[in-house]
Amino acid sequence: MENKKFHPKIVFRYKKELITFYNKSIFKFVLILWSILLVYTLSFFFLDKVKFKSEIPITILAFVIMIIFTLVIYINTLKFSKYVKNFKENGIKTSGKILDVVAFEEDYKNPRLRVQYINPKNGKKEEFLSDSVTGDPAKLLRSRDVDVYILDDKKFATNFKFAFGKQRPYGKRR
């Protein structure tokens, strides 16, 4: 029998990305909910058509709720995808390095990354605080090197090098 190594799930991401389809757990959860609803509805239809007809309003309501739930997650996915795409298409790319994780006392549950980058306009090293993230990069990343996109006065760090497993890039599905 082989000794299999278990790796922790990658949970390092931007908080904005949590309730999107880029989060594989959310994608699987929605897929399972749809599967259960469809199997339940079809089996109910084929096993007891009389009771199914009396329960049509509840079935329609369940489908409407699932459609709205899925639509909200899809809209969040589109917003985040457009946010990232805007930086990648219109911003200036430079290299950066994660220096530290900063958690403010009043908002300690939403830590941010302090990222140092080289400003392509003047060649000097500068720093910025990223959007909120979900974990400590020291434990989840194999390298603190990132790509930084600069768009006007906004900055966005991306292309994290994960220590365990693979995570798909933004905007691409497997």
Side-chain angles (χ1 to χ4, degrees):
M1 194 163 111
E2 274 184 45
N3 183 12
K4 293 184 179 181
K5 292 182 181 179
F6 293 100
H7 297 290
K9 283 189 169 185
I10 300 296
V11 293
F12 183 78
R13 64 185 61 201
Y14 285 107
K15 294 261 181 166
K16 290 180 182 179
E17 186 186 358
L18 276 177
I19 309 297
T20 68
F21 286 124
Y22 292 120
N23 182 346
K24 287 191 247 184
S25 299
I26 291 289
F27 182 76
K28 289 177 184 176
F29 179 70
V30 171
L31 197 60
I32 289 169
L33 284 179
W34 272 109
S35 300
I36 290 170
L37 182 61
L38 289 173
V39 167
Y40 179 78
T41 303
L42 289 174
S43 61
F44 202 27
F45 174 75
F46 287 116
L47 294 175
D48 193 356
K49 289 184 183 180
V50 174
K51 183 146 177 134
F52 178 77
K53 286 180 183 178
S54 67
E55 302 290 333
I56 283 181
I58 294 173
T59 304
I60 291 172
L61 180 63
F63 273 97
V64 168
I65 290 170
M66 274 304 298
I67 289 169
I68 291 170
F69 179 69
T70 306
L71 194 60
V72 166
I73 295 172
Y74 181 71
I75 289 169
N76 285 344
T77 303
L78 285 179
K79 283 181 186 177
F80 188 73
S81 180
K82 285 180 184 178
Y83 179 76
V84 172
K85 185 178 179 183
N86 185 37
F87 273 99
K88 287 189 174 186
E89 287 180 353
N90 301 321
I92 300 168
K93 181 180 176 182
T94 186
S95 60
K97 187 174 195 90
I98 299 170
L99 298 177
D100 198 7
V101 178
V102 179
F104 298 104
E105 198 171 300
E106 65 276 358
D107 195 21
Y108 68 92
K109 290 186 179 182
N110 296 308
R112 303 167 117 203
L113 302 175
R114 188 165 53 98
V115 180
Q116 183 182 63
Y117 67 98
I118 299 169
N119 190 329
K121 293 180 181 175
N122 59 22
K124 293 182 180 178
K125 289 184 178 182
E126 296 181 10
E127 296 178 6
F128 74 96
L129 285 177
S130 72
D131 291 336
S132 298
V133 294
T134 60
D136 184 358
K139 298 174 184 173
L140 300 169
L141 303 178
R142 64 179 153 83
S143 169
R144 290 181 175 244
D145 295 327
V146 294
D147 290 336
V148 175
Y149 288 90
I150 304 166
L151 182 62
D152 301 326
D153 61 338
K154 298 177 185 171
K155 286 101 182 161
F156 180 73
T158 188
N159 294 337
F160 302 109
K161 281 83 175 162
F162 297 106
F164 305 100
K166 294 181 181 177
Q167 184 161 324
R168 71 176 152 279
Y170 301 118
K172 295 184 180 174
R173 293 218 89 38
R174 282 190 214 171

